[in-house]
Amino acid sequence: MRCLVTGATGYIGGRLAPRLVAEGHEVRCLSRSAARLRDVPWASGVEVVEGDLSDPATLPAAFEGVEVAYFLMHSLGRPDFERLDREAARNFAAAAERAGVHRIIYLGGPEPPASGTRSPHLRSRAEVAKILLDSAVPTAVLRAPVIIGSGSASFEMLRYLTERLPWMITPRWVRNRIQPIAVRDVLRYLIGCADLPGSINRGFDVGGPDVLTYQEMMQRYARVAGLPRRRIVPLRPLTPWLSAHWVGLVTPVPNAIARPLVGSLIHEAVAHENDIAQLVPGETLGFDDAVGRALGRVRDADVETRWSTASGLDPAAEPLPTDPAWSGGTLHVDSRTRRVHAPAAALWQVIESIGGDNGWHSIPLAWSIRGWADRLAGGVGLRRGRRDRHRLQVGEALDWWRVEEIQPGSLLRLRAEMRVPGRAWLEMRAIPDGPDHSVYLQRAVFLPRGLAGQAYWAAVLPFHGLIFGAMLRNMARAATALPRDSDGRVRPASPRSPAASER
């Protein structure tokens, strides 16, 4: 089946397109600029056509031969987003009719109350739904409330508010009921709707199994994230307008996006029917499981996430290059590089032999003090050392680190197991730069947990230049000083000693 995806640079579209490809569909993506999809990991599996839904003349090529067309774009964040989305929907419907498209699928928002709404966001979503349903093409409208997944604007608001505010004064809408849904289930419904009978032209409420207030969502997020219970006091004077500015102050979500989203929370968002479950069967994730996947955790297994791949557990939660910079939570990075007068093989030999009795090529006293402090806090400290003096394996302990990934000759990534309010990684890379030179890339990455994590990073940041700066310099010097054979090649590390094997 040939599918057209609009909004492929957005949160849902960017996750839907590769899943449609995996299901065996031919996928065409409509974008104002093909360059915006150049770096997504699935770019080679789709056809990209440039066009603009505000310009009908650019649409025929995109719709030619299409059987199912997904309307996933929206102009939220623009001052005139209602007008822009209205025009886009009309042009989309007209182009689909002319091309003989068999079905339109639209992901909208909760249906506004029968008495009307003051929320421009909900009003616009309902208007777009009506335009598409009134077209000559059978249309399925999915009315989704808060979508739980890293990168979703609604989820990012929930994430930042809960993590950054142990105590908060909130508007009354935090007591409104919401039926959140995992992004994985939204994608499953979107894909399943492609096979609906042509006689179906209607909207469907979609939601997960849990009905919660926003306040309960924050408390349960805190529990899944390992944060203390939040102290929340709802107050009447906080209007949606004030609430939006409050959200903009506390979170990095732009005010232009936060304002309409907060305005839509004045209404409850609970499914009034569940007909979609009969047409697209499957088990939906509960709120806690959805949050756990969005945070890259598995609740019933001792699995930690790699910051480099975000989850490795649920592909729907993985970040994409097209996701906004404010999505994915706070990630602090200390990144340093240095050109080394030694081949990459020499630099790698130094990288792989780090830690234990070999030391950390930094300030020994500072490293020891940090190890003692960790021991006093109940952590592992530096006492574990390393199994072998020269070789490392994925999964083994290395002082207070765990070896998470090795790409022999180029990459070593360590995950911290010390007591810190968050998760931390140390990454070291050896990058070839000619026969006699290389580049050493060193990154310390910290994913804070709550306000304590933010405070911890702020407290240690002044010492990073001293400790990690010294480490950068000394690693480069050690690689340069390694002995070489007469032909200039680095001598290999000595084989594992019996003592090292027994340790």
Side-chain angles (χ1 to χ4, degrees):
M1 191 178 299
R2 179 169 291 174
C3 302
L4 174 67
V5 177
T6 63
T9 57
Y11 174 64
I12 293 295
R15 287 155 175 79
L16 176 65
R19 283 157 186 78
L20 288 170
V21 172
E23 291 286 330
H25 299 295
E26 295 180 49
V27 178
R28 180 183 295 157
C29 296
L30 174 67
S31 177
R32 286 191 296 268
S33 171
R36 295 186 63 192
L37 291 171
R38 181 184 55 203
D39 296 328
V40 296
W42 42 268
S44 60
V46 304
E47 176 190 1
V48 180
V49 175
E50 289 193 342
D52 191 338
L53 287 177
S54 66
D55 182 0
T58 66
L59 301 182
F63 281 85
E64 183 180 359
V66 167
E67 298 166 87
V68 176
Y70 288 90
F71 187 90
L72 301 174
M73 64 81 62
H74 62 79
S75 307
L76 202 64
R78 301 274 296 273
D80 54 347
F81 74 88
E82 289 186 84
R83 179 187 62 80
L84 292 173
D85 284 358
R86 181 188 312 119
E87 292 179 358
R90 288 172 177 163
N91 293 336
F92 181 95
E97 289 179 12
R98 287 192 295 268
V101 172
H102 299 167
R103 173 159 299 284
I104 290 172
I105 301 172
Y106 170 54
L107 179 64
E111 192 168 19
S115 58
T117 177
R118 291 175 295 161
S119 166
H121 174 235
L122 292 184
R123 188 170 58 235
S124 174
R125 292 299 181 102
E127 182 181 27
V128 168
K130 187 176 187 308
I131 291 171
L132 298 177
L133 287 167
D134 288 346
S135 72
V137 181
T139 298
V141 174
L142 299 181
R143 296 187 289 258
V146 171
I147 296 176
I148 304 298
S150 182
S152 161
S154 296
F155 177 75
E156 296 300 340
M157 279 173 44
L158 176 71
R159 181 208 299 265
Y160 286 114
L161 287 173
T162 307
E163 291 193 349
R164 295 186 174 184
L165 297 176
W167 309 275
M168 62 186 96
I169 297 173
T170 63
R172 288 184 303 162
W173 52 252
V174 298
R175 291 177 176 168
N176 287 347
R177 296 183 307 153
I178 300 169
Q179 194 167 347
I181 183 170
V183 63
R184 186 195 71 168
D185 294 319
V186 171
L187 295 170
R188 178 168 59 83
Y189 286 140
L190 286 169
I191 293 171
C193 282
D195 295 320
L196 291 179
S199 58
I200 293 179
N201 184 67
R202 56 164 291 189
F204 297 93
D205 289 342
V206 296
D210 299 310
V211 176
L212 307 166
T213 66
Y214 202 90
Q215 182 171 336
E216 289 170 336
M217 287 168 58
M218 287 192 284
Q219 296 292 14
R220 287 175 64 165
Y221 176 99
R223 186 173 65 196
V224 174
L227 300 171
R229 182 173 176 80
R230 284 12 215 165
R231 300 290 182 261
I232 301 170
V233 180
L235 285 184
R236 180 183 296 271
L238 284 177
T239 65
W241 183 83
L242 287 173
S243 300
H245 286 280
W246 165 66
V247 169
L249 179 66
V250 173
T251 80
V253 179
N255 256 342
I257 294 176
R259 191 177 302 115
L261 289 178
V262 168
S264 67
L265 293 172
I266 61 176
H267 302 296
E268 293 196 333
V270 178
H272 298 290
E273 46 83 18
N274 192 32
D275 296 345
I276 191 68
Q278 304 300 319
L279 298 166
V280 185
E283 186 178 354
T284 54
L285 281 178
F287 178 81
D288 290 1
D289 285 335
V291 170
R293 288 171 181 262
L295 298 180
R297 300 181 180 184
V298 174
R299 297 173 58 215
D300 56 356
D302 185 19
V303 178
E304 286 280 358
T305 299
R306 298 180 183 181
W307 62 268
S308 57
T309 57
S311 74
L313 306 174
D314 186 354
E318 291 184 3
L320 293 176
T322 51
D323 286 348
W326 45 261
S327 66
T330 303
L331 191 69
H332 297 297
V333 181
D334 182 299
S335 183
R336 301 168 188 270
T337 59
R338 192 177 186 91
R339 193 166 187 261
V340 181
H341 186 57
L347 180 56
W348 174 252
Q349 190 168 314
V350 174
I351 290 173
E352 194 178 12
S353 63
I354 200 166
D357 292 339
N358 298 330
W360 289 87
H361 298 278
S362 186
I363 303 172
L365 179 59
W367 215 257
S368 297
I369 290 173
R370 184 63 184 89
W372 296 335
D374 191 54
R375 289 285 299 275
L376 290 173
V380 296
L382 294 171
R383 67 179 183 272
R384 297 189 303 190
R386 56 180 292 154
R387 175 190 55 83
D388 183 279
R389 187 173 179 82
H390 301 292
R391 299 286 180 262
L392 291 174
Q393 296 179 6
V394 172
E396 71 175 278
L398 177 60
D399 292 329
W400 62 53
W401 306 92
R402 180 74 59 180
V403 179
E404 185 176 82
E405 183 173 357
I406 297 178
Q407 294 176 12
S410 63
L411 168 68
L412 173 63
R413 182 178 297 121
L414 307 174
R415 185 182 70 244
E417 294 186 335
M418 67 186 87
R419 292 293 185 93
V420 291
R423 288 180 284 172
W425 293 263
L426 180 61
E427 181 181 276
M428 292 163 277
R429 290 180 181 266
I431 304 171
D433 188 24
D436 298 318
H437 290 82
S438 56
V439 174
Y440 174 49
L441 171 62
Q442 175 183 293
R443 286 201 287 184
V445 180
F446 183 63
L447 186 64
R449 184 174 66 246
L451 195 60
Q454 301 285 355
Y456 172 82
W457 178 261
V460 300
L461 190 59
F463 301 99
H464 278 194
L466 186 65
I467 296 172
F468 287 122
M471 184 176 177
L472 185 81
R473 293 189 300 272
N474 292 334
M475 293 278 284
R477 289 172 185 164
T480 303
L482 280 179
R484 306 188 194 183
D485 294 331
S486 57
D487 59 0
R489 290 183 299 179
V490 179
R491 293 178 188 172
S494 58
R496 183 186 305 175
S497 66
S501 302
E502 295 169 2
R503 188 167 44 185

